[in-house]
Amino acid sequence: MIIAIVVVALLIVLLIASLKVVREYERLVVFRLGRLRGPLGPGLVIMLPFLDRSVRVDQRVVTLTIPPQEVITRDNVTARVNAVVMFKVADPVRSVMAVENHAVATSQFAQTTLRSVVGRADLDTLLAHRADLNEDLYQSIAQQAVPWGVDVVVVEIKDVEIPEMMQRAMARQAEAERERRAKVISAHGELEASEELRDAAKTLSEAPASLQLRYLQTLLELGADQNSTVVFPLPMDIVGPLMGALNQFAPGGETRQETGTPRSSSETHGLAVVDDRAEGRSR
């Protein structure tokens, strides 16, 4: 009776030991006495104790970070470049049979390919055209990983570090480029403004009264500030008739005009009007 109980217990233990639970995203590559049985799972898998050996393979996407690599670009600039590779196991059997460790192999080959691809490009391409370099990296790594049963999903250059002196030189170059664009835009603006002023001068020459309106508008703009003193010249075609009328109605104006000294031309050419409201006086 005791022997039967021991045997039953051993059978139960062996049965429990032979049962393996495989998750949905995993596969078991089983070897029976050294020979491949094939991938098993997912679900409950029965294995013979002491006869079967299994390798558990994860089929989820793995994110692999490539450490920074010292790279010399085609234009002899030293840079530190790192990247990220995302891959997953497409064939569990080949990932076990064709390579010892598919993750390590993919990482090493990605580092070598990164140095090779970046070394063929110049610095401007590395900074401004990363999409082309990423495509080259993806094609090279994916083609090499196919015999290992690995499907490469994404290869992206993550960061590019360049020397500080090169960064300052690039900053000066960008500043000079911005100044050049600003000067070109300013020159174009002055050219357009001169053309508009020429057209405005032609329009004003056709209507002389518009020039007087422009004078009055300027006076209104200057008089907006109450603390300003404005000296504004008036044209002689406006002031001349007014001065003649004042000379006729002034008492003794004719006698003074005959006996007095003749006025110079500068005294009758114009009139200056001064606004002294800021000082509390009027003229």
Side-chain angles (χ1 to χ4, degrees):
M1 190 65 181
I2 296 174
I3 296 175
I5 294 174
V6 173
V7 172
V8 171
L10 290 176
L11 291 177
I12 294 174
V13 171
L14 291 175
L15 180 61
I16 295 174
S18 64
L19 296 178
K20 297 290 184 180
V21 177
V22 182
R23 299 181 180 89
E24 186 68 29
Y25 55 83
E26 293 178 339
R27 296 295 183 271
L28 283 182
V29 180
V30 181
F31 297 90
R32 177 168 295 174
L33 297 177
R35 296 187 64 87
L36 178 67
R37 280 186 59 188
L40 302 179
L44 189 62
V45 177
I46 299 177
M47 300 176 56
L48 297 180
F50 308 109
L51 298 179
D52 293 340
R53 294 290 184 268
S54 64
V55 179
R56 193 178 295 267
V57 179
D58 194 337
Q59 289 190 308
R60 292 178 294 180
V61 175
V62 179
T63 302
L64 180 64
T65 301
I66 301 176
Q69 304 293 316
E70 292 285 346
V71 181
I72 299 177
T73 60
R74 188 173 61 182
D75 50 354
N76 297 325
V77 177
T78 304
R80 290 175 58 87
V81 183
N82 60 354
V84 59
V85 179
M86 295 183 181
F87 65 92
K88 64 180 180 179
V89 176
D91 190 346
V93 175
R94 284 195 294 178
S95 68
V96 175
M97 299 292 292
V99 64
E100 180 181 1
N101 190 326
H102 63 274
V104 176
T106 304
S107 175
Q108 294 297 323
F109 185 75
Q111 295 179 27
T112 305
T113 306
L114 178 63
R115 289 193 294 266
S116 176
V117 171
V118 175
R120 294 196 302 265
D122 53 11
L123 183 60
D124 293 337
T125 303
L126 180 60
L127 296 177
H129 302 282
R130 291 190 185 181
D132 298 336
L133 297 179
N134 293 335
E135 184 65 24
D136 293 342
L137 287 172
Y138 172 78
Q139 295 294 338
S140 300
I141 299 175
Q143 184 178 1
Q144 178 63 32
V146 168
W148 302 337
V150 176
D151 184 14
V152 178
V153 180
V154 175
V155 179
E156 292 285 343
I157 295 177
K158 189 176 180 181
D159 190 18
V160 177
E161 297 179 5
I162 58 177
E164 185 177 356
M165 295 180 60
M166 183 61 63
Q167 294 181 11
R168 291 197 296 266
M170 294 174 64
R172 291 194 299 269
Q173 179 184 1
E175 184 178 358
E177 179 65 20
R178 293 293 180 181
E179 290 181 356
R180 183 187 68 83
R181 293 181 182 179
K183 291 180 180 179
V184 170
I185 293 174
S186 177
H188 282 295
E190 292 180 358
L191 177 61
E192 294 178 359
S194 63
E195 293 176 354
E196 295 294 335
L197 288 175
R198 181 190 60 187
D199 297 338
K202 291 181 180 179
T203 303
L204 291 176
S205 63
E206 296 175 358
S210 60
L211 185 60
Q212 310 301 328
L213 296 177
R214 184 60 181 167
Y215 284 158
L216 297 177
Q217 183 180 0
T218 304
L219 179 61
L220 179 62
E221 294 175 357
L222 295 176
D225 190 2
Q226 299 297 328
N227 297 325
S228 61
T229 301
V230 180
V231 178
F232 193 81
L234 293 178
M236 277 303 300
D237 55 357
I238 297 177
V239 182
L242 179 61
M243 293 298 297
L246 290 177
N247 291 332
Q248 290 179 3
F249 289 100
E254 296 179 357
T255 305
R256 286 194 299 269
Q257 184 176 4
E258 293 176 359
T259 59
T261 58
R263 296 182 180 180
S264 62
S265 59
S266 61
E267 296 178 356
T268 61
H269 280 175
L271 177 63
V273 179
V274 180
D275 185 3
D276 291 331
R277 287 180 296 177
E279 291 81 3
R281 299 178 301 172
S282 62
R283 297 182 182 178

